[in-house]
Amino acid sequence: MSEFQDIASKALKTATDKGAQHALVRVARSQSLDMSWRKGKLENMTSSGESALVLDLFVDGKYGSYFTSDMRPDCIDSFIAKCIDITRLLEEDPARTLADPELYKNRSQDDIEIFDPSVEAVTPNDLIEYSKNLEALTLAHSELPILDVTIECGISQGASFTATTNGFSGERKQSSFGAYSSIVLTDGDKKPSDYAGSSARFKADLRTPQQIADEAAHFAAFKIGQKKLPSANRTLIFDRRVAAQLIRKFISPLSGMALVMKSSYFQDKIDQKLASDLLDLYDDPLLKRGASSRTFDAEGITAKRAPIFDKGSLKQYFLDTYAANKLGLKPTTGSTSNLILAPGSRGLDAMIADVKDGIYVTGLLGGNQDNVRGDFSHGIVGVAIENGKLTTPVSEMNITGNHNDLWKRLSEVGNDLRSDSSTRIPSIRIDDVAVSGS
Amino acid sequence: MNWTRRDFLSASALAAASLPLIGCATSKPQSKDTQMSAKEIAVPACNDYFCSRFGVTDEMIDKVLSKTLSKGGQWGELFFEHTSSGSVNLLDGKVSSGSASISLGMGARCVVDDQVGYAFTESLTLEDMMRAAEAAAAIAPGVNAGAVNPRQEAAFKTWYDTNYNWDGLDIARAVSLIQSINERTRAKDSSIVQVSVGLSWRQRVIMVSTSDGIRATDSQPYFVLRLSVVMQRGEEKQSNGGSIAGLDTFESITEEKIATLIDEAVADTQILFEAVKPKGGEWPIVLGAGASGILLHEAIGHGMEADFNRKEASIFATKMNQRVASDEVTIGDSGFIRGSRGALNVDDEGTPTQDTTLVENGILKSYMHDKISAKHYGVAPTGSGRRDSYKWAPLPRMRVTYMANGTHEVDELVKNVKYGIFCKKYTNGQVLIGPGDYTFYVKNGFLIEDGKITAPIKDVNIIGNGPDTLSKITMVANDQKFDCGGWTCGKDGQSMPVSLGMPSVLVSAITVGGI
């Protein structure tokens, strides 16, 4: 870290010497090894080492953000000089400031366990052995018409040091492990596919290769013989991996930029009840071994656990210093960390068993939403539910609606929340959703 | 698949810089002739770019290439890239942020049949490049070192100005351009409550050197000018936007193009106040000329990228030389559209680019190939090997995907529809390669009732199946247009600037999201 500190303090000094009143600098380096494995051999192996110098400059009331991967000392100096020249050509905006130093205080000193030292001992051969095993376990699903299996796995580690001219400094070191198994099936002319995987900060937290292989096969099996159902309003059970995507889309206009743009259906909605009582959603950056855990955010603001929705009432926006200044509000943090939806009491099977006529949704396909009004439309794939039983796989269907009323119809949250994701969200049930098909 | 090796660095201050897929303003249709007028064989301006600036000599390149083959690789490749990017952004009436970034690196690739070893370095010293080459070489477990052949500089036609340099742009001009766009936009409609305008650019200089004798250099002047508008009438708000993008100069952003961008962004927002939702279900669809090329990109383009077919994972894998559409349908993918965001002189493997015919009069003719898939199929590469940056090995990717003109007038298409949708502007698309199911999101469109265009519609997702949709294209109009918007295509984690073009077409049935 001392090398990083050295580069960072030199960069801050150069910036202030050349005319910046304030600056934030981040020096980061990462290393990774990724491979894909197919048909009993290595298909691709990539090893990489990256470095970056990130610089936020505040010059005469004007602001610019800068990045270089060219870390040669004389290049950094001339780069900073150029960045200052560019910044001077912009317009003054009093909303552009570093974070308030008060917000740097009371940082957690606990070990949030985001670096597993065993990452350093992983060799290409380890990944090859892992891939072979995961491939064999996936291919063992001979009940499926498997055309192709691709295994991807990788490791990465990174370190960074961040400092500002108003008193912040912080360092971070993190690791990650990931493994995926993708299956392509033969289904007449079609070649449907699905996958499963796991990623974690600590190797020991990865799900086992057997679990990954079985889940990939489980989801792939739902892709055989897909049909389009007639258009109707139905009860939908969103599998946890889809529920996580859907909630991310729902809350994306909580970002400061959307609010400043006046493009958010959450404008002026703090403390209003916008969703069913079951929506108890919070952001927990201090979760041990969490995929997005952190003790401070990109600006240096001390990270803390915060409710986003409390029994369906909106509690917090994601505001960085600029957005907060523009809106006349207090900064929270500019980005989400680990999103957690309070689980219910029943498992997925019990939830499905209750549905007379619905769809168990296992994937979203494309679509988009209007952040000003909340209108959305997305493709879905899944399996029809008839009288509590999974029946025909479905595809080529769209769900359409508006986020402002969709979440009021959230009628059950499952208990199947999983720890190997930064979105810890169980499967959910939403009633009366417009689904179009044939 | 979320886990990527870039998770860590992207948590930086620049994380917000991703390009949204915004639909775009279209300029007047260009005739095919003017697009196809290439400059004569270029003498690339950047022959010794990496030597004079970064001290990379041919002797070093030979040594590093030898290293990539030291474990028995069949061929090796070094890809050098130096990118200078920048942006100025206006929000709430002020140009209150700007950005600049530099990235420099070299990716070493070692290939054995369809196996790839890849490693990159951000330091161009001999020692660091040799280390990367050694890591890439490890994919080949053998011992017989391959030979490095003498190089020949690739010659190609140019479809953009390789001598232009966005890095030399006078920032003050960019600032006053976006200020004036803001003022002109706000003056159009008093119900406008917010405007954002951004100009971003990326000057990308590349050099490819391979053990099988290829040397190519190119300098690519990318830019995107983006405008978004929010209006409020009473309690009701609507937003929309547009963009102008390409490989071209600052001066190419003419007054005419700016006026079109502003007019369309404002009009496309105003009309949303009257928009209704269509009935959900299967309806005939008329896709308007230009941006509707998103249909080609999703419904057939990705499925024709040869890497998916090599793995037999595409629904098109078994359809070569078979009929996939009516006689009237001819589809291509081309680097030869001058100044377009998908224009390309030479791909990231050093292969001069092409205008590749994918479907000719309804018959499937060719995939898009990189060197690896071309070898697998025993054909020549199509100049489609592209990569996001030196951090990635190349893949077969699209450039400008287009459909050739048919013979009908657009009015005839609309007259043939009893109840259906006319699609004009899009903001997203996706495809599942194996089953061929694709979607695209319609931001602006109209209902067609009894052969006439009636109420505006908005925010509906269209979902269909690629081969099925192609077979249902029943009429092709004669109004081909190339889109000038800022399209970015994502595949396997790599982002790629692309473009689209199309005449209006009638598809007899696709599933429309609705209520």
Side-chain angles (χ1 to χ4, degrees), chain A residues 15-21 57-64 66 80-92, chain B residues 95 98 171-172 175:
Chain A
T16 47
D17 284 354
K18 292 186 189 293
Q21 286 75 38
L57 293 179
F58 301 85
V59 187
D60 307 336
K62 300 164 182 183
Y63 164 81
Y66 305 94
I80 293 174
K82 186 181 158 192
C83 296
I84 289 182
D85 288 346
I86 293 173
T87 312
R88 284 210 168 99
L89 293 165
L90 307 174
E91 286 182 275
E92 280 182 50
Chain B
V95 185
I171 304 289
V175 168

Side-chain angles (χ1 to χ4, degrees), chain A residues 82 86, chain B residues 49 83-88 99-101 160-171 173-175 177-178 198-205 219-225 244-254 339:
Chain A
K82 186 181 158 192
I86 293 173
Chain B
Y49 189 92
T83 306
S84 308
S85 310
S87 71
V88 289
S99 73
S101 65
Y160 37 85
D161 184 352
T162 55
N163 293 311
Y164 188 76
N165 187 2
W166 276 92
D167 200 33
L169 176 72
D170 176 359
I171 304 289
R173 290 177 70 194
V175 168
L177 171 72
I178 64 174
L199 175 68
S200 58
W201 56 90
R202 186 166 68 106
Q203 188 68 41
R204 179 180 192 243
V205 182
S219 179
Q220 302 165 349
Y222 286 97
F223 79 92
V224 182
L225 173 64
I244 302 174
L247 279 84
D248 216 327
T249 64
F250 182 78
E251 291 70 29
S252 75
I253 309 171
T254 57

Side-chain angles (χ1 to χ4, degrees), chain B residues 134-193:
Chain B
E134 188 163 13
I139 192 92
V143 285
N144 297 325
V148 176
N149 296 316
R151 282 179 293 274
Q152 199 175 2
E153 186 78 39
F156 44 79
K157 293 180 175 179
T158 62
W159 303 94
Y160 37 85
D161 184 352
T162 55
N163 293 311
Y164 188 76
N165 187 2
W166 276 92
D167 200 33
L169 176 72
D170 176 359
I171 304 289
R173 290 177 70 194
V175 168
S176 65
L177 171 72
I178 64 174
Q179 281 169 331
S180 88
I181 292 175
N182 172 54
E183 284 156 21
R184 290 170 59 180
T185 305
R186 283 179 183 269
K188 288 264 167 199
D189 188 322
S190 59
S191 63
I192 292 176
V193 292

Side-chain angles (χ1 to χ4, degrees), chain A residues 42-43 45 47-48 50-51 65 67 69 82 91 174 182 189 191 228 260 326 366-368 375 377 398, chain B residues 1 8 14 92 95 98 101-102 115-116 118 120 122 167 194 282 319 391 428 430 434 458 461 511:
Chain A
L42 255 186
E43 183 169 62
M45 180 167 71
S47 77
S48 59
E50 299 176 56
S51 48
S65 76
F67 166 96
S69 70
K82 186 181 158 192
E91 286 182 275
Q174 57 197 35
S182 312
D189 231 13
K191 285 147 184 158
K228 211 187 280 198
V260 171
K326 288 294 285 186
N368 213 335
D375 295 324
S377 188
N398 277 309
Chain B
M1 306 209 177
F8 190 64
L14 285 181
D92 230 5
V95 185
S101 65
I102 295 175
Q115 291 178 280
V116 174
Y118 197 78
F120 65 85
E122 294 178 327
D167 200 33
Q194 188 58 287
E282 274 189 357
K319 300 192 189 302
K391 295 176 186 177
N428 194 16
Q430 197 180 341
K458 67 194 249 335
N461 205 37
T511 298

Side-chain angles (χ1 to χ4, degrees), chain A residues 43-324:
Chain A
E43 183 169 62
N44 190 310
M45 180 167 71
T46 298
S47 77
S48 59
E50 299 176 56
S51 48
L53 177 92
V54 175
L55 200 60
D56 285 355
L57 293 179
F58 301 85
V59 187
D60 307 336
K62 300 164 182 183
Y63 164 81
S65 76
Y66 305 94
F67 166 96
T68 180
S69 70
D70 187 351
M71 302 282 266
R72 293 172 296 169
D74 50 329
C75 293
I76 292 180
D77 279 4
S78 62
F79 180 67
I80 293 174
K82 186 181 158 192
C83 296
I84 289 182
D85 288 346
I86 293 173
T87 312
R88 284 210 168 99
L89 293 165
L90 307 174
E91 286 182 275
E92 280 182 50
D93 185 345
R96 296 281 184 191
T97 62
L98 285 176
D100 179 352
E102 283 296 312
L103 299 174
Y104 302 152
K105 290 180 179 167
N106 304 317
R107 192 195 309 170
S108 168
Q109 299 304 311
D110 294 350
D111 182 5
I112 53 171
E113 298 182 25
I114 55 174
F115 182 74
D116 177 356
S118 79
V119 72
E120 284 165 355
V122 176
T123 66
N125 256 335
D126 295 338
L127 294 185
I128 288 173
E129 289 307 317
Y130 184 96
S131 300
K132 273 186 193 166
N133 182 33
L134 182 51
E135 181 186 47
L137 291 169
T138 309
L139 286 169
H141 283 277
S142 53
E143 74 278 12
L144 296 174
I146 295 180
L147 175 70
D148 193 71
V149 168
T150 302
I151 305 300
E152 290 177 89
C153 62
I155 50 162
S156 73
Q157 55 173 317
S160 73
F161 178 82
T162 307
T164 68
T165 49
N166 69 347
F168 176 83
S169 73
E171 58 186 76
R172 185 177 290 164
K173 198 172 179 192
Q174 57 197 35
S175 56
S176 77
F177 298 77
Y180 287 84
S181 174
S182 312
I183 300 178
V184 181
L185 301 176
T186 308
D187 180 23
D189 231 13
K190 296 192 173 189
K191 285 147 184 158
S193 63
D194 214 310
Y195 74 97
S198 182
S199 66
R201 293 266 171 237
F202 276 65
K203 193 174 164 186
D205 294 343
L206 281 179
R207 282 185 304 143
T208 66
Q210 187 71 57
Q211 287 170 319
I212 296 172
D214 291 351
E215 188 184 312
H218 171 78
F219 280 115
F222 291 142
K223 298 284 179 72
I224 300 172
Q226 291 174 315
K227 289 193 176 65
K228 211 187 280 198
L229 304 180
S231 304
N233 282 22
R234 291 189 170 83
T235 294
L236 303 188
I237 305 281
F238 292 94
D239 184 76
R240 61 190 165 193
R241 62 181 188 179
V242 185
Q245 285 175 275
L246 204 60
I247 286 186
R248 290 250 172 220
K249 291 177 192 297
F250 173 50
I251 67 165
S252 70
L254 288 176
S255 79
M257 203 39 87
L259 292 156
V260 171
M261 272 298 293
K262 299 188 169 96
S263 298
S264 171
Y265 45 82
F266 293 120
Q267 197 123 25
D268 305 320
K269 295 276 174 69
I270 290 284
D271 287 331
Q272 290 190 25
K273 189 156 160 52
L274 305 176
S276 126
D277 281 350
L278 297 174
L279 195 71
D280 251 335
L281 184 71
Y282 54 96
D283 188 55
D284 189 357
L286 302 176
L287 204 63
K288 276 201 170 41
R289 301 195 178 189
S292 299
S293 294
R294 61 192 186 205
T295 57
F296 57 89
D297 75 2
E299 291 187 281
I301 296 176
T302 293
K304 45 180 193 277
R305 188 178 190 271
I308 308 304
F309 281 93
D310 179 19
K311 292 195 167 39
S313 289
L314 178 61
K315 290 294 159 189
Q316 183 189 287
Y317 295 133
F318 289 94
L319 304 177
D320 61 10
T321 298
Y322 169 74

Side-chain angles (χ1 to χ4, degrees), chain B residues 102-306:
Chain B
I102 295 175
S103 69
L104 171 68
M106 185 281 292
R109 181 160 64 137
C110 170
V111 179
V112 184
D113 295 325
D114 50 8
Q115 291 178 280
V116 174
Y118 197 78
F120 65 85
T121 171
E122 294 178 327
S123 154
L124 302 188
T125 64
L126 181 60
E127 191 192 354
D128 286 328
M129 291 197 292
M130 290 295 265
R131 196 174 299 131
E134 188 163 13
I139 192 92
V143 285
N144 297 325
V148 176
N149 296 316
R151 282 179 293 274
Q152 199 175 2
E153 186 78 39
F156 44 79
K157 293 180 175 179
T158 62
W159 303 94
Y160 37 85
D161 184 352
T162 55
N163 293 311
Y164 188 76
N165 187 2
W166 276 92
D167 200 33
L169 176 72
D170 176 359
I171 304 289
R173 290 177 70 194
V175 168
S176 65
L177 171 72
I178 64 174
Q179 281 169 331
S180 88
I181 292 175
N182 172 54
E183 284 156 21
R184 290 170 59 180
T185 305
R186 283 179 183 269
K188 288 264 167 199
D189 188 322
S190 59
S191 63
I192 292 176
V193 292
Q194 188 58 287
V195 169
S196 81
V197 196
L199 175 68
S200 58
W201 56 90
R202 186 166 68 106
Q203 188 68 41
R204 179 180 192 243
V205 182
I206 62 160
M207 176 172 74
V208 185
S209 230
T210 71
S211 67
D212 53 359
I214 294 171
R215 160 67 66 85
T217 56
D218 195 19
S219 179
Q220 302 165 349
Y222 286 97
F223 79 92
V224 182
L225 173 64
R226 199 165 34 241
L227 169 64
S228 68
V229 178
V230 184
M231 288 181 192
Q232 181 162 12
R233 294 182 187 169
E235 287 294 297
E236 200 183 342
K237 278 196 264 182
Q238 297 288 355
S239 75
N240 214 330
S243 61
I244 302 174
L247 279 84
D248 216 327
T249 64
F250 182 78
E251 291 70 29
S252 75
I253 309 171
T254 57
E255 168 51 35
E256 186 190 351
K257 289 181 189 166
I258 293 166
T260 306
L261 174 72
I262 295 171
D263 290 348
E264 292 197 1
V266 171
D268 290 348
T269 312
Q270 286 166 335
I271 200 165
L272 294 177
F273 287 98
E274 282 106 58
V276 298
K277 286 240 163 97
K279 285 185 271 184
E282 274 189 357
W283 306 114
I285 292 191
V286 176
L287 297 149
S292 298
I294 190 169
L295 170 83
L296 308 176
H297 185 98
E298 304 298 355
I300 176 168
H302 278 298
M304 295 295 283
E305 292 168 338

